[in-house]
Amino acid sequence: MKEIIKINLDNEMDLILAHKRCMKIAEMCGMPSSFQTRFSTAVSEIARCSIAKGKNSLLVLCINTIKPTQKQIEAIITDSVDLKSCSPEAFNYASKISGDIEYSFKGNQSTTRIIQPVASPGLLSETKIKSLIDYFKFEPPLSPYDEIRKKNIELIAISEKLTESENRYRKLANTIPILICEVNERNKVLLYNESLLHYLKVPPPTFERKNLINFIHPDDINVILDGWEKAKLTRSSFSGEVRIKDSALFVWHLVTMIPNKSEDGSFNSWLVYFININAQKMIVEALKDNSELKMIQRELESANSKLLFKNKELEQFAYVASHDLQEPLRKIMIMLSRAGEQLSDEQKKQFYFDRMTLSATRLSELITDVLNYSRIDNSKQIFEEVDLNEITSEILGDLSMIIDEKNAVITIEPLPRVLGLHTQLRQLFYNLVNNALKFNTTVPLVTISAEIVPDGNNELALSGNYHIISISDNGIGIENQYSNRIFNMFQRLHERDQYGGNGIGLALCRRIIENHNGFINFTSTPGKGTIFWIYLPKKQ
């Protein structure tokens, strides 16, 4: 039996779809018009009963090949209600016009089969049946309702694939005999697998000395902390050997820290693996001075090489997992966009399309901001001379629309040339000027100026060697209670419906300044304005 199409019977629109598709499949099988009508009407009678009185109703249209010379169309309607007892007159009428109806009710499920023999079975080849399946799979929608229904089916399928992918990789991560956790740049442990939970009982909330000392051997604590700092500083992998507490004993483990990279090579977290090498370590220690067993030692070295190879495989696994989990999300966003093109404003409200689209857009903006933050890396870039006057001229062009809209007055005094990265410094000034325009309830007045740090400045150890660039505004200002938080990730001081953004802009500014060996701070008076002070090294 070849399934051609499925239709959920929920409302009158589904009844119309069922009737039209029954007519179409009968027509494509070469049945006369009278038989098309009788078959479709019989199916519609039972479908109408199922919609009115049934529950969890489903119609499946199939082609059944009994033998090469005997083929038939079958309409199978299943329901969790005894339909025949609910509406015997509908079944009597369908039997009169069709003549071949089978009905059963077992295990709280009713099954109705309406059978229509194909007049010319020889013409209904396997190729023809396949073309029927393809036709209904790719046929244009019969109505806006049918279009929405198809899009919903596609979205459900994508969601199921995403769930399946997540479950598959979660099961893989939890079953391998390796202790795994994910740590972000602020030392917070984001995730860990069941092996780590089972081994440590209480996994550390942060990757810091006060928590690591609870299960890392005191003599090895600096090995792991120094390796962690090196990995964060160089954005590279690190491997070392440490002893982890197991009840009253300490067991040797190979610890590996790998940057958790995305498709474009950026990252903002690390995967940390602990692999039990206690047996190998004990054998090496016992045999290191035994010249007669050097061959076994070489074999152990080979085994260690294989462990390193496995670590590389785990890094590849992390990349594939990231790609596979992100791809379904991108497809969902594309399908939301396509589905929304066919909907009226009323339909969008009915199906919560505005909320879904807004949530998807916010998620996209958040991902973009986080990726921008994680890409700030100077390890492979060379500083060049950058004219800050050109930078400010470029950003005023970028912000021209909002400047005109708010009638903003921007005053720019002569600015110096500094050594740095043009793209990052452009992002820095863009964020700060954009904030000055955005967080303002009057006509914005923004001034950008520069001076040299005077000699004898006690706040900076290198007085006289820094440019001070100030960006002042007459905006809403910042409360003193937030002075220690505004440069942290995801710190929003206002509700989203008041001012947009994800709380990443100032964190990005601080990271850019630190990459340029500078400093940033601010002074502010609520209701009167804010001045951001940027300290950049002078050219030597």
Side-chain angles (χ1 to χ4, degrees):
M1 183 179 294
K2 298 286 188 180
E3 178 182 303
I4 306 300
I5 191 171
K6 288 182 179 179
I7 301 174
N8 291 317
L9 300 175
D10 298 321
N11 52 49
E12 291 297 320
M13 292 300 299
D14 294 323
L15 180 61
I16 295 172
L17 294 176
H19 183 81
K20 289 184 176 181
R21 285 183 167 86
C22 286
M23 289 288 291
K24 190 64 180 180
I25 194 172
E27 175 190 346
M28 296 176 74
C29 289
M31 293 171 57
S33 298
S34 60
F35 284 86
Q36 296 175 27
T37 303
R38 293 166 68 89
F39 173 71
S40 301
T41 303
V43 174
S44 296
E45 280 298 310
I46 306 303
R48 188 190 309 279
C49 173
S50 189
I51 291 172
K53 301 180 179 181
K55 185 179 181 182
N56 302 322
S57 307
L58 177 67
L59 167 63
V60 181
L61 297 175
C62 310
I63 300 294
N64 189 13
T65 302
I66 300 173
K67 55 185 179 180
T69 58
Q70 186 179 359
K71 297 176 182 178
Q72 57 193 26
I73 306 173
E74 289 193 15
I76 305 172
I77 299 176
T78 57
D79 202 297
S80 57
V81 172
D82 187 352
L83 292 179
K84 192 171 184 179
S85 64
C86 292
S87 185
E89 62 277 9
F91 280 79
N92 291 336
Y93 180 69
S95 297
K96 287 180 180 179
I97 59 176
S98 176
D100 197 352
I101 295 182
E102 299 176 0
Y103 179 82
S104 65
F105 181 73
K106 295 179 181 179
N108 292 325
Q109 178 172 293
S110 64
T111 303
T112 306
R113 294 179 182 271
I114 303 173
I115 302 169
Q116 179 63 52
V118 177
S120 301
L123 299 178
L124 198 58
S125 62
E126 288 296 317
T127 302
K128 177 68 173 178
I129 294 174
K130 185 178 183 302
S131 70
L132 285 174
I133 296 173
D134 290 340
Y135 173 84
F136 287 102
K137 183 177 180 181
F138 301 106
E139 71 170 334
L142 301 178
S143 64
Y145 171 81
D146 191 29
E147 173 72 8
I148 295 171
R149 177 178 164 275
K150 284 188 174 183
K151 297 302 182 185
N152 285 340
I153 291 173
E154 292 175 0
L155 289 173
I156 290 171
I158 292 173
S159 177
E160 289 174 349
K161 288 182 180 179
L162 176 61
T163 301
E164 180 183 355
S165 177
E166 290 176 338
N167 291 336
R168 183 168 64 250
Y169 285 108
R170 185 180 295 110
K171 182 178 180 181
L172 177 60
N174 286 333
T175 53
I176 57 177
I178 298 174
L179 315 181
I180 304 175
C181 64
E182 182 182 4
V183 186
N184 67 10
E185 291 192 350
R186 302 181 66 82
N187 304 329
K188 183 178 180 180
V189 177
L190 304 176
L191 298 169
Y192 47 83
N193 68 344
E194 290 183 0
S195 297
L196 182 67
L197 176 62
H198 178 74
Y199 195 94
L200 298 183
K201 308 304 181 188
V202 181
T206 59
F207 214 71
E208 298 174 324
R209 178 182 294 272
K210 62 182 180 180
N211 295 310
L212 297 179
I213 198 68
N214 293 328
F215 65 95
I216 301 293
H217 193 285
D219 293 342
D220 300 334
I221 192 68
N222 287 333
V223 172
I224 196 168
L225 289 175
D226 291 344
W228 172 229
E229 291 301 322
K230 179 182 177 182
K232 290 196 296 182
L233 181 64
T234 62
R235 301 293 194 272
S236 61
S237 302
F238 169 80
S239 292
E241 296 178 355
V242 297
R243 285 161 287 183
I244 299 180
K245 191 173 184 179
D246 184 11
S247 298
L249 303 175
F250 283 91
V251 178
W252 281 101
H253 281 73
L254 176 68
V255 57
T256 301
M257 304 169 185
I258 300 175
N260 188 15
K261 296 182 179 180
S262 60
E263 290 179 297
D264 61 359
S266 63
F267 60 89
N268 61 353
S269 65
W270 276 258
L271 295 176
V272 183
Y273 306 92
F274 295 92
I275 302 175
N276 189 325
I277 58 168
N278 198 64
Q280 298 96 313
K281 190 72 175 179
M282 293 299 99
I283 294 175
V284 170
E285 291 294 326
L287 301 179
K288 61 182 178 181
D289 296 325
N290 193 330
S291 59
E292 297 179 358
L293 297 175
K294 290 295 183 182
M295 183 177 296
I296 296 177
Q297 187 173 359
R298 285 195 294 271
E299 291 178 354
L300 288 172
E301 292 172 353
S302 176
N304 285 333
S305 297
K306 291 179 179 179
L307 283 173
L308 294 175
F309 176 76
K310 290 296 182 184
N311 282 337
K312 291 294 183 182
E313 287 185 334
L314 286 171
E315 182 178 359
Q316 293 176 354
F317 156 74
Y319 171 82
V320 173
S322 175
H323 177 273
D324 285 357
L325 292 175
Q326 291 180 28
E327 183 62 23
L329 176 60
R330 284 194 291 270
K331 290 182 179 178
I332 289 173
M333 293 179 67
I334 292 172
M335 295 311 302
L336 279 173
S337 176
R338 291 180 179 174
E341 294 174 358
Q342 306 299 324
L343 300 179
S344 66
D345 291 341
E346 185 62 30
Q347 288 171 325
K348 288 180 181 178
K349 180 183 294 186
Q350 179 182 356
F351 291 99
Y352 301 102
F353 244 72
D354 290 343
R355 296 184 185 179
M356 290 189 290
T357 303
L358 180 59
S359 296
T361 301
R362 287 178 179 171
L363 177 57
S364 176
E365 292 174 353
L366 178 59
I367 291 173
T368 300
D369 287 344
V370 173
L371 286 178
N372 286 337
Y373 183 85
S374 65
R375 285 173 179 152
I376 302 301
D377 180 10
N378 294 335
S379 60
K380 296 182 179 179
Q381 302 188 63
I382 300 175
F383 282 8
E384 298 178 344
E385 186 177 82
V386 179
D387 188 346
L388 297 183
N389 296 288
E390 293 181 1
I391 293 286
T392 54
S393 177
E394 291 174 5
I395 66 166
L396 290 186
D398 294 340
L399 295 168
S400 60
M401 291 184 66
I402 188 172
I403 291 173
D404 293 342
E405 179 184 341
K406 292 195 169 188
N407 296 317
V409 178
I410 312 294
T411 302
I412 302 177
E413 299 179 4
L415 300 176
R417 294 174 177 265
V418 298
L419 289 178
L421 299 172
H422 185 278
T423 302
Q424 291 188 16
L425 291 174
R426 193 176 190 275
Q427 182 73 58
L428 168 70
F429 279 86
Y430 179 93
N431 284 0
L432 292 176
V433 175
N434 185 49
N435 281 357
L437 297 172
K438 179 169 63 174
F439 297 102
N440 201 311
T441 58
T442 63
V443 175
L445 303 176
V446 183
T447 302
I448 305 175
S449 61
E451 59 180 294
I452 302 295
V453 176
D455 291 335
N457 188 319
N458 295 325
E459 295 182 3
L460 295 173
L462 301 177
S463 60
N465 293 322
Y466 282 79
H467 293 287
I468 304 179
I469 294 93
S470 63
I471 301 177
S472 62
D473 63 60
N474 62 334
I476 62 175
I478 302 170
E479 298 284 351
N480 290 334
Q481 66 191 74
Y482 301 120
S483 60
N484 296 325
R485 293 170 44 194
I486 67 166
F487 292 109
N488 294 338
M489 288 280 284
F490 306 115
Q491 291 299 315
R492 293 178 50 82
L493 308 185
H494 308 277
E495 295 298 329
R496 189 181 298 275
D497 57 359
Q498 290 182 295
Y499 301 98
N502 293 304
I504 296 178
L506 289 179
L508 183 64
C509 290
R510 183 177 68 175
R511 189 165 182 186
I512 291 173
I513 289 296
E514 290 174 349
N515 282 345
H516 286 75
N517 301 313
F519 311 86
I520 184 171
N521 57 25
F522 73 97
T523 58
S524 183
T525 303
K528 294 185 178 181
T530 301
I531 304 176
F532 279 94
W533 306 95
I534 301 169
Y535 297 80
L536 288 174
K538 293 174 57 178
K539 293 188 298 180
Q540 299 297 320

